[in-house]
Structure formats: C-alpha cells, structure tokens
Amino acid sequence: MSSEGHSAYFQHLEAYEGDLEGWRYRVQKLERPEARSQLDGDNAAFPYHPISDVVRLCLASAGEHLRLAWTAIKAGELYPTAHFSTLRGALVAASQAVYILGPEDTSLRRARGLAVIVESYKRLRQFHLEHLKIDALTDYEKQQIKDQVQWLNGRIQGAVDAGADKAGVNVSDKVIPYAAELTYQSNVGLQHSVNLLWRQMSGDAHALAWALTLRATLDGPKDGALLTTGMAGGSLKDISEPFEASFRILRRGWSLFDQRCEAC
C-alpha cells in the first residue's frame, strides 16, 4: 500500500478516537436505567441479573477491543491475524448489545437479554464442572463447587421461566445478521459484508489458514509443484473494514442504550 493510502486509512480511523475515549470514561461509572424506562422494565423481569448490565458489559467489551486494535495501529504494529481476532471480539460484543436492545417489542428484548444471561450461566457451570475433575480438591472444596453448580441450575431455570429465548443465542445466524441489518438499514451490500467479515475472522480466531490465505499475496504455481508460497503482512486497508463495521454497530448500540434508558 502506498504511504498516501496508508495515511488516508489512518486518518479515517483516527477520527473515531474521540468516541472511543468517551465510551471508555463512560463505562468507568455505573449507569442505571431511569425509573419507568424501557430497560428499567426489562430489568424487572429478572432482578437477579439486570439485562441493562448485560448490555453495558457488551458495550464496554466492544469499545475495549476496538481501543486495543487502535493502540496497536498508533504504535505502527499491524498484525496479519491478531488484529482480526481482536476485531472479531469487538464485532460480537457490539452486535450482541444491538441484538438485545434493538426490538421495540418488550417481550422480544427480554427474551434475548435473558438468553444471553442463560448462556453466561451455562458457561460458568461448564467451568465449575471441569474444575471438579481436579483430583487434589478436598471434599470441602468439591462440595462448594457442587453447591455453586446447584445455584447456577436454579438461576438458569429462573431465567428460562422469566421468558428467556429457549433457542439460545446463535451468534452467526441471528446476532450478527440482526445487528448488521439494524445498523446498515437498506444497504444490503454492507450487511452482507459484515456477515462475510464475521465468517472470515472466525478463521483468524481459531488459527485456521483459510482466512489468512484470502488476504495473502500468493506466488504463481510452479511446474510440478504441489504447493505454492505466499505472504501476508499487516494491512491497514484490511484492518479498517472490520474496524469500521464494529465501530458503527457499537455506536448504534450506545444510541439504543440511551434510548431504552430514558424514562417514558
């Protein structure tokens, strides 16, 4: 990439730094929805784990991942795979916030928020069950873990009874497409691009070669050779596309959060 091209992409992303810093300071203090707001009502469905806190964590996580990616860019470090696994984290977190906050229908918002809560509880339960396999645990420690698993079972059932979507959270087929559509509205091309980026960056996150290959410059095949060689370096052009998408979805998420937190 020419120095002019690199500079243009850098300046474009640099324009987002102010918002990223503003969100960083914002999540350092606890924000509660106003009384009689939509999110205040959503929280009442399951007071043991407020849906508004689930959303704030998503928004905070997305901003943190974007700042990490931007910090590396400012330092002149562009990574062929690590930047994309980081941006994938930003994309899923921002999209999950939009997925929960987007619907005007109260029951649908609650079903989605509670489904994310159930998913969190289930993953924590998996952690504890794996912990139980450690032979060195004392009987007392094992009982503490079993009690925690039992507590989680009760919380999971409580969230299900409160209306959690029993289909769970399908990030690839529901969360990302929904957030892309709500953010980019009638621009089907950009929606499709977000879905493709999500699929491609899964390869980076799981250390699978195909994602990197799509961004690499490959040598032409040599006579009789079964394999060819290629090179993939960090590219601000490649990085900027998922950065842009994640940022725009995150901005939509914060806007929805403010809207749902205002008293009706």
Side-chain angles (χ1 to χ4, degrees):
M1 184 191 304
S2 68
S3 59
E4 292 82 4
H6 180 95
S7 178
Y9 284 112
F10 184 90
Q11 291 175 12
H12 182 76
L13 297 180
E14 187 178 33
Y16 298 150
E17 188 171 25
D19 285 326
L20 292 174
E21 281 298 294
W23 294 328
R24 179 173 73 89
Y25 285 112
R26 182 171 176 177
V27 298
Q28 291 176 9
K29 59 181 181 180
L30 183 61
E31 290 185 75
R32 293 293 189 193
E34 294 179 359
R36 297 181 301 280
S37 67
Q38 291 175 311
L39 262 179
D40 182 52
D42 294 343
N43 285 345
F46 193 66
Y48 306 104
H49 195 144
I51 292 173
S52 63
D53 286 350
V54 175
V55 174
R56 285 186 74 255
L57 176 60
C58 292
L59 296 171
S61 177
E64 186 174 300
H65 280 78
L66 282 173
R67 290 197 310 276
L68 176 60
W70 174 238
T71 298
I73 292 170
K74 287 200 297 182
E77 298 287 350
L78 306 180
Y79 297 97
T81 58
H83 250 116
F84 299 98
S85 55
T86 300
L87 291 170
R88 186 175 189 263
L91 182 59
V92 68
S95 296
Q96 190 161 268
V98 171
Y99 179 73
I100 296 170
L101 293 169
E104 293 295 337
D105 181 80
T106 301
S107 61
L108 183 54
R109 273 199 320 275
R110 293 178 181 179
R112 291 179 174 184
L114 291 170
V116 173
I117 290 170
V118 167
E119 181 71 12
S120 180
Y121 285 150
K122 285 183 176 179
R123 297 304 179 188
L124 178 56
R125 183 174 63 184
Q126 285 180 333
F127 172 84
H128 286 312
L129 291 174
E130 188 67 26
H131 194 184
L132 277 173
K133 297 178 183 179
I134 298 176
D135 293 333
L137 291 174
T138 65
D139 289 341
Y140 175 74
E141 289 170 332
K142 289 180 180 178
Q143 187 58 54
Q144 281 190 312
I145 296 171
K146 290 177 181 178
D147 290 344
Q148 182 66 13
V149 169
Q150 189 62 35
W151 181 88
L152 286 166
N153 289 338
R155 282 289 189 261
I156 290 170
Q157 188 58 53
V160 170
D161 292 341
D165 185 351
K166 294 181 180 179
V169 183
N170 188 322
V171 174
S172 295
D173 296 331
K174 290 186 178 180
V175 175
I176 301 297
Y178 178 88
E181 182 178 1
L182 195 65
T183 300
Y184 289 105
Q185 301 293 323
S186 60
N187 194 325
V188 178
L190 287 178
Q191 294 174 31
H192 188 57
S193 293
V194 172
N195 292 317
L196 284 176
L197 285 169
W198 169 254
R199 300 288 182 181
Q200 183 177 3
M201 291 190 295
S202 70
D204 298 293
H206 294 279
L208 300 176
W210 72 268
L212 185 61
T213 302
L214 290 179
R215 294 188 292 266
T217 300
L218 301 177
D219 294 337
K222 297 180 180 179
D223 293 341
L226 294 176
L227 301 175
T228 186
T229 58
M231 179 177 293
S235 165
L236 195 53
K237 177 181 179 182
D238 290 334
I239 291 168
S240 65
E241 189 174 5
F243 194 108
E244 170 88 10
S246 301
F247 177 86
R248 288 186 177 274
I249 292 173
L250 176 56
R251 185 169 60 187
R252 186 76 174 101
W254 274 113
S255 176
L256 285 166
F257 182 78
D258 290 338
Q259 176 186 336
R260 304 297 184 205
C261 282
E262 292 180 357
C264 299

